[in-house]
Amino acid sequence: MENKEIKNDSGIVIRQTYGPDNSEMPGKFPFTRGVREDMYRGRLWTMRQYAGFSTAEESNKRYHYLLSQGTMGLSVAFDLPTQIGYDSSHDFAEGEVGKVGVAIDSLKDFETLFDGIKLEEITTSMTINATASTLLAMYIALAKKQGADLKKISGTIQNDILKEYAARGTYIYPPKPSMRLITDIFEYCSKEVPKWNTISISGYHIREAGSTAAQELAFTLANGKAYVEAAQEKGLDINVFAKRLSFFFNAHNDIFEEVAKFRAARRMWANITKQLGATDPQAQMLRFHTQTGGSTLTAQQPENNIIRVTLQALSAVMGGTQSLHTNGFDEALSLPTENAARIALRTQQIIGFESGVTQTVDPLGGSYYVEALTDEIEKLAQQYIETIDAMGGSVAAIEQGYMQNEIAKSAYTYQKDIENNEKIIVGVNKFTQKEGEAQPVFKIDDSIRKIQMQKLDQLKAERNAEEVENNLRLLKEAAEGKENLMPYIISCVESYATLGEIADVLRNVFGEFKG
């Protein structure tokens, strides 16, 4: 049913949906055309800009700047030591503190990161996997300190460890205990933080590692099946926990292929969850965040990346994304400058408010090409999934190196095509020019580590050491048993145990994965 009249500049009334009267409708199983009947006519996607660097103080300033410029939600990038469970003072952290994201060593840093930001009033996405349970615990602990209603706070943790083994590498523990941590989060949040999206099953990094669009789709959905089956083995109800599953996809330059991929993803996931026992439409629905393709950005003629990002963002919107991050044009050179971050956000705003693509649902639906491409991508992805199922599922396929090898072969073919000029990258292997003035870049000073180490020393001098030691001991005992670990991790965090201390307890119990 039409909910409001929208006219274009010529005065033509734009219908909510186009297609034959008997065509599949958006908001209905299997959701090929979108997860809501009115899609962006009702409300736009969440413009969620990914940011985090240096110290919590510096990242907090960037968050306040982005919020002042119209971003609708926050997305936190963490540095590598935080991602793999090391405090900034650890020898392995040297040279990496604050470089690719913000350094978080304890709840104290988290309090600074969100200073002046009420967690009940925003949604936050956190790109964190191996240490997702600890960072979520910090978010919950901070929300409690702010007096927030935990039933109202919402956001997402990536929490997708399988793609780390297959494509990205920021894992700590072996697959089995890692899956335990993930399902513990599912169980805890379904009761205590029901609006929280407990996993963002990520194809983004699979694509960044060199996969094709069809492989990105197949491997992501296969991983999704593995998480659902692990939760069901734990006795969780798919009609409850599957409502809080979300996905994270990449968007590259081929608009039609990307739109077809997004449409196929919704249809495939609806059928997968139905086969696994989901009967509630909300549990069958694939909701996803999109980020424009970092690997497509070039250091040569970096201004060209503004056009690339625009095309990619447009494909995500026409493909029905629920939230979107647009990359800064200078990210092939450094972390985005404030100017680049603003242009990236304005790109989304112009698409949302000026382009007209939001006026009707699934605007490319019914295109002979897009419909055929949707079917073909689904068929190819399904073949990959059937191969993975025959191997015993995603965990077995990863352990046997299947996904890694398929991605590596695709990456090699892509690079070879560029070097042979069979694939044109503007400004790289065609339409090149002598480089002019150097692009201003955003650099992080190595002194950040010293600042973090000083804060750690102060924290350890001020906290109740006996309380910390007791909570870490209780966590160790729980990890050796079968209890849900989230309450114990939250207690550790609230007593100001550090991220590294918590990770070390679990390392000692679970061991480390040697890929």
Side-chain angles (χ1 to χ4, degrees), residues 33 52 59 74 91 171-172 278 323 336 397 436 451:
R33 304 200 67 188
S59 291
L74 297 177
D91 289 346
Y171 45 73
I172 303 175
S323 70
I451 295 170

Side-chain angles (χ1 to χ4, degrees), residues 117-129:
I117 298 171
K118 292 188 176 181
L119 302 190
E120 203 174 293
E121 297 176 2
I122 61 160
T123 62
T124 303
S125 173
M126 294 188 284
T127 302
I128 196 72
N129 297 282

Side-chain angles (χ1 to χ4, degrees), residues 458-485:
Q458 184 177 353
L459 173 77
K460 290 177 179 180
E462 294 174 351
R463 70 186 185 180
N464 185 326
E466 185 177 338
E467 183 183 7
V468 171
E469 186 177 340
N470 184 56
N471 284 330
L472 291 172
R473 178 182 57 78
L474 292 173
L475 173 61
K476 178 177 182 292
E477 292 171 359
E480 290 169 341
K482 294 183 179 180
E483 290 182 79
N484 190 305
L485 297 181

Side-chain angles (χ1 to χ4, degrees), residues 129 131-134 136 157 159 179-191 196-199 234 236 484-486 489:
N129 297 282
T131 54
S133 56
T134 304
L136 175 60
I157 42 171
N159 197 28
M179 294 294 276
R180 174 189 172 182
L181 283 167
I182 289 166
T183 54
D184 278 358
I185 290 170
F186 288 0
E187 183 180 47
Y188 178 84
C189 288
S190 68
K191 298 171 184 174
W196 195 267
N197 296 318
T198 51
I199 193 168
K234 193 165 184 168
L236 303 183
N484 190 305
L485 297 181
M486 280 303 297
I489 295 172

